Amino acid sequence: MASLNDIVPAGVVTGDDLVTLLDHARANSYAIPAVNCTSSSTINAALEAARLAKSPIMIQVSNGGGSFLVGKSIKDKNAAAAGSVALAMHTRCVAKYYGVPVVLHSDHCAKKLLPWFDAMLEADEEFFAKYGEPLFSSHMLDLSEEPDEENIAICVEYFKRMAPMKIWLEMEIGITGGEEDGVNNEDVDPEKLYTSPEQVYSVYDALSKVGDMFSVAAAFGNVHGVYKPGNVKLSPERLGKHQAYAKKMINSPLDKPIYLVMHGGSGSTDSEIKSAVENGVIKMNIDTDTQWAYWDGLRAFEHKNRAYLQGQIGNPDGKDKPNKKYYDP
């Protein structure tokens, strides 16, 4: 396997470098972890984990994450977009220092959130005009709640706007269960949690007429969140059927002609992940597991130093001893 540093630069990658990175993932059967971030602190934590693992990473922001970064008290209609752009700017400023390729991505965008998507594209266009590349590496449209025909048609129109800037498009067809960013699919018809090969190919057929920088989040029983083992029934082998069908329809020399994405990856077993990757998944979302890892570090620190975090002055070492070094970053 060629070293990543030999084929793509460290820091935020876009355009041709992004394609090279994802092709490397597909050819070498690995998926890039995608972590939802809500602050400079969570971005840095994710980047540090990637640095230690010597792994590429995707830093992504949701509509809710963008709003959180601006401040939950701000109710302006543009808050989510402003926060998302701020998150992207921070990532761009620091990513190269971690020595790994970083993909800047926006997560699920339902139809009702399209104004947020539009605002991010405007930021991309402004950045592109100045620097010759977009602000974000990629964006996701999640119109899976809409009829397939409408879902695909809207994706095509946005992809036409994105393609000249070489922005990658991720789209979803079929529904991911559970709840994420205000969209609740906990009671959805279980059959809708499984996408058919024909549905996936219809996406490929439409988007490939515009460009080749796109991926499909096809549902195979995925659920957002972490649940008791056995409660979520993933069928990653279905992804292989999508690939085989597409290969046949387009007469592709590739066994895995479609870039696939795995949502709801938190809590999945090693064998489920391995099967998904073997069938062409090049990106895996792990939001819930990383939320817990971030919190668990804070919990452990507080537990270890609790006696020094009960006031600014006074601890087991003396009633007049200051505690600043335990709560000052």
Side-chain angles (χ1 to χ4, degrees), residues 18-290:
L18 175 57
V19 174
T20 298
L21 174 61
L22 297 181
D23 278 344
H24 187 268
R26 180 168 64 176
N28 293 283
S29 296
Y30 67 89
I32 300 172
V35 181
N36 282 62
C37 296
T38 56
S39 65
S40 58
S41 177
T42 51
I43 293 167
N44 294 352
L47 291 174
E48 176 65 4
R51 185 186 71 83
L52 293 173
K54 297 181 174 60
S55 167
I57 191 170
M58 296 193 180
I59 300 295
Q60 57 187 29
V61 62
S62 67
N63 179 273
S67 295
F68 183 89
L69 191 143
V70 167
K72 295 179 76 171
S73 66
I74 304 302
K75 304 304 180 185
D76 189 283
K77 65 179 181 179
N78 297 313
S84 300
V85 169
L87 181 145
M89 290 294 194
H90 172 80
T91 304
R92 277 193 167 274
C93 286
V94 304
K96 65 182 179 181
Y97 298 106
Y98 288 84
V100 295
V102 178
V103 180
L104 251 178
H105 179 71
S106 66
D107 203 11
H108 295 266
C109 178
K111 188 176 181 180
K112 64 183 179 181
L113 300 179
L114 286 176
W116 168 58
F117 198 92
D118 290 330
M120 288 188 292
L121 283 185
E122 289 174 8
D124 284 320
E125 288 163 345
E126 291 178 9
F127 199 89
F128 187 86
K130 291 180 180 179
Y131 303 108
E133 67 173 340
L135 176 61
F136 287 86
S137 312
S138 57
H139 294 294
M140 182 194 179
L141 283 171
D142 179 3
L143 305 168
S144 57
E145 292 184 311
E146 314 306 324
D148 285 0
E149 185 176 335
E150 181 180 3
N151 178 355
I152 295 170
I154 294 175
C155 286
V156 166
E157 290 309 305
Y158 273 102
F159 196 31
K160 289 177 181 177
R161 183 176 172 186
M162 297 163 66
M165 294 182 283
K166 294 187 176 182
I167 303 175
W168 191 277
L169 171 65
E170 176 186 332
M171 68 85 67
E172 181 165 342
I173 191 161
I175 292 174
T176 300
E179 183 174 5
E180 179 79 1
D181 210 32
V183 177
N184 192 325
N185 291 323
E186 292 178 313
D187 298 320
V188 72
D189 179 355
E191 281 303 308
K192 292 185 178 180
L193 298 179
Y194 300 95
T195 308
S196 72
E198 291 79 10
Q199 285 177 294
V200 174
Y201 176 70
S202 65
V203 174
Y204 179 90
D205 185 52
L207 293 180
S208 63
K209 293 182 173 78
V210 180
D212 57 4
M213 292 182 63
F214 65 91
S215 52
V216 182
F220 54 97
N222 319 60
V223 175
H224 289 127
V226 173
Y227 297 85
K228 183 179 178 181
N231 284 10
V232 177
K233 301 191 182 304
L234 292 180
S235 299
E237 69 279 358
R238 289 178 178 242
L239 301 178
K241 296 178 181 179
H242 303 334
Q243 300 284 17
Y245 186 82
K247 175 180 174 67
K248 175 184 175 183
M249 294 299 291
I250 64 177
N251 193 29
S252 174
L254 299 173
D255 289 330
K256 297 176 285 188
I258 298 177
Y259 298 96
L260 295 175
V261 174
M262 180 176 177
H263 285 196
S266 293
S268 301
T269 65
D270 289 348
S271 62
E272 289 167 338
I273 296 169
K274 184 174 185 290
S275 178
V277 171
E278 288 175 344
N279 286 304
V281 164
I282 45 82
K283 171 181 181 272
M284 177 177 161
N285 289 11
I286 47 172
D287 182 28
T288 306
D289 278 350
T290 48

